[in-house]
Amino acid sequence: MSFNNLDQLYRSVIMDHYKNPRNKGVIEDGSLTIDMNNPTCGDRIRLTLDVEDNIVKDAKFDGDGCSISMSSASMMTEAIKGHTIEEALKMGDEFSQMMLGNDYEITEDMGDIEALSGVAKFPARIKCATLAWKALEKGTKNEE
Ligand code: FES
């Protein structure tokens, strides 16, 4: 596939997550609620997780933001469900590497996340893409 086609594919994956977000909402009896905002634009996200025996049983997000932040949250909540906290944080590390333009490893479980790889070329948007992952990190670091 040429770079242009790949770019277009990635763009349509991002827009699909933005227009049809997976796991949008709030887990009412979730075990963790994390609020996070992007200081550069003020956009906010609320991440709720249901963690049982160190496994992310369910994950939902709510909030308003740009297509990059909302699609990233949608992809992230899909990716981490069914995984341990350590595995979810490892995914976040790989995502950070991808945003830094370094080598990274995206496993099959991480689904559509690679569609955001192009954001690395736009430093101003990296905070948008990492917003949900930062919320995950903030909420789960103490759970390890
Ligand atoms: Fe606010 Fe992207 S512009 S999160």
Side-chain angles (χ1 to χ4, degrees):
M1 200 182 295
S2 75
F3 271 126
N4 272 350
N5 287 349
L6 189 62
D7 231 36
Q8 257 177 7
L9 172 70
Y10 281 174
R11 214 165 296 161
S12 67
V13 171
I14 292 168
M15 286 320 285
D16 179 48
H17 276 273
Y18 179 54
K19 288 184 179 150
N20 310 295
R22 287 39 151 200
N23 308 307
K24 187 101 195 270
V26 172
I27 306 170
E28 292 303 340
D29 51 356
S31 46
L32 282 172
T33 300
I34 310 112
D35 290 310
M36 197 75 168
N37 80 311
N38 178 348
T40 53
C41 63
D43 289 344
R44 304 183 71 84
I45 185 176
R46 169 164 286 178
L47 178 67
T48 44
L49 300 175
D50 181 14
V51 179
E52 247 182 80
D53 299 329
N54 200 39
I55 307 257
V56 181
K57 297 272 185 206
D58 200 5
K60 285 193 190 298
F61 76 98
D62 211 356
D64 284 309
C66 64
S67 55
I68 302 285
S69 68
M70 295 295 106
S71 63
S72 182
S74 171
M75 293 174 195
M76 185 204 76
T77 49
E78 278 217 306
I80 63 173
K81 271 202 254 184
H83 286 274
T84 64
I85 298 284
E86 291 77 13
E87 287 166 347
L89 288 172
K90 169 87 169 69
M91 290 179 190
D93 287 344
E94 295 299 332
F95 187 79
S96 296
Q97 292 306 316
M98 188 170 86
M99 288 298 107
L100 292 169
N102 296 335
D103 287 343
Y104 59 88
E105 192 189 337
I106 298 285
T107 60
E108 224 172 277
D109 290 346
M110 292 173 76
D112 295 334
I113 282 170
E114 201 160 21
L116 288 166
S117 56
V119 175
K121 287 185 243 137
F122 303 95
R125 308 308 302 276
I126 292 175
K127 278 204 173 80
C128 306
T130 53
L131 187 63
W133 290 101
K134 292 264 183 253
L136 173 73
E137 194 180 332
K138 180 178 164 192
T140 55
K141 276 275 166 164
N142 321 333
E143 295 286 304
E144 279 182 290

